[in-house]
């Protein structure tokens, strides 16, 4: 597996929606890859006991009972209205390789939107197979006919 790290630092923020132009979107040859949040910081103008960063892009390996986005990470309040990502185990989500914009929203612990977002910084890890591994990986998932 290849790994690539992406730092997102200049979002477009409208109310509770945070958008980043995704700088690693030249994945035409690889249809899907894994995305995981490594670290992050969210600055708000108010106090919040905690926050859930929800990715609004579709993923293949996630479901929830509220259908309000993919929970990318849980953040807790630090100093001066800064929410820090502190999970020790990161979820890995399988996303489409042709994404140009990553879109998120932020909700508090009661699932209410957080609209006083000032800035968001995220470090993401992308994992994808090497080109010569694609056919081997694909063959291992395709059932072969049985010889009776």
């Amino acid at each position: 597996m290849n790994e690539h790290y992406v730092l997102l630092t200049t979002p477009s923020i409208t109310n509770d929606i945070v958008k980043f132009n995704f700088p690693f979107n030249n994945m035409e040859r690889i249809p899907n890859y894994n995305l995981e949040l490594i670290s992050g910081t969210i600055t708000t103008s108010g106090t919040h006991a905690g926050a859930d960063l929800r990715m609004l892009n579709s993923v293949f390996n996630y479901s929830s009972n509220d259908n309000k986005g993919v929970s990318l990470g849980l953040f807790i309040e630090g100093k001066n209205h800064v929410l820090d990502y502190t999970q020790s185990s990161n979820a890995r989500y399988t996303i489409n390789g042709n994404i140009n914009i990553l879109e998120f929203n932020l909700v508090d612990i009661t699932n209410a939107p957080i609209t006083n977002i000032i800035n968001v910084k995220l470090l993401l890890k992308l994992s994808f197979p090497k080109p010569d591994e694609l056919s081997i990986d694909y063959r291992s998932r395709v059932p072969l006919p049985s010889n009776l």
Side-chain angles (χ1 to χ4, degrees):
M1 291 290 260
N2 281 328
E3 294 176 348
H4 188 82
Y5 294 86
V6 177
L7 179 64
L8 302 175
T9 60
T10 53
S12 163
I13 301 171
T14 306
N15 295 325
D16 66 326
I17 304 296
V18 177
K19 293 182 182 180
F20 288 98
N21 288 329
F22 193 47
F24 200 76
N25 57 8
N26 58 350
M27 302 291 289
E28 301 89 26
R29 292 180 53 201
I30 299 173
N32 307 313
Y33 53 89
N34 291 330
L35 178 142
E36 80 183 90
L37 177 63
I38 299 298
S39 66
T41 300
I42 300 167
T43 307
T44 65
S45 61
T47 302
H48 303 281
D52 187 3
L53 181 67
R54 301 279 182 107
M55 185 168 67
L56 300 176
N57 302 83
S58 297
V59 302
F60 301 113
N61 59 337
Y62 176 86
S63 58
S64 71
N65 63 349
D66 65 4
N67 294 320
K68 294 184 178 179
V70 178
S71 180
L72 198 64
L74 303 173
F75 290 70
I76 60 169
E77 179 89 38
K79 294 182 179 181
N80 302 323
H81 309 299
V82 174
L83 296 156
D84 293 312
Y85 179 68
T86 59
Q87 285 178 226
S88 60
S89 177
N90 301 329
R92 292 179 183 96
Y93 298 113
T94 304
I95 64 172
N96 188 318
N98 296 328
I99 290 179
N100 294 320
I101 294 176
L102 290 180
E103 190 172 11
F104 305 93
N105 72 352
L106 196 62
V107 296
D108 66 14
I109 59 174
T110 66
N111 270 346
I114 295 176
T115 59
N116 56 1
I117 303 167
I118 296 172
N119 196 17
V120 177
K121 291 185 180 183
L122 304 173
L123 178 62
L124 304 175
K125 177 182 171 183
L126 308 179
S127 302
F128 47 93
K130 296 176 183 175
D132 57 342
E133 292 175 346
L134 283 175
S135 60
I136 295 169
D137 183 50
Y138 177 74
R139 281 189 71 187
S140 69
R141 288 191 249 158
V142 175
L144 298 174
S146 63
N147 295 328
L148 296 175

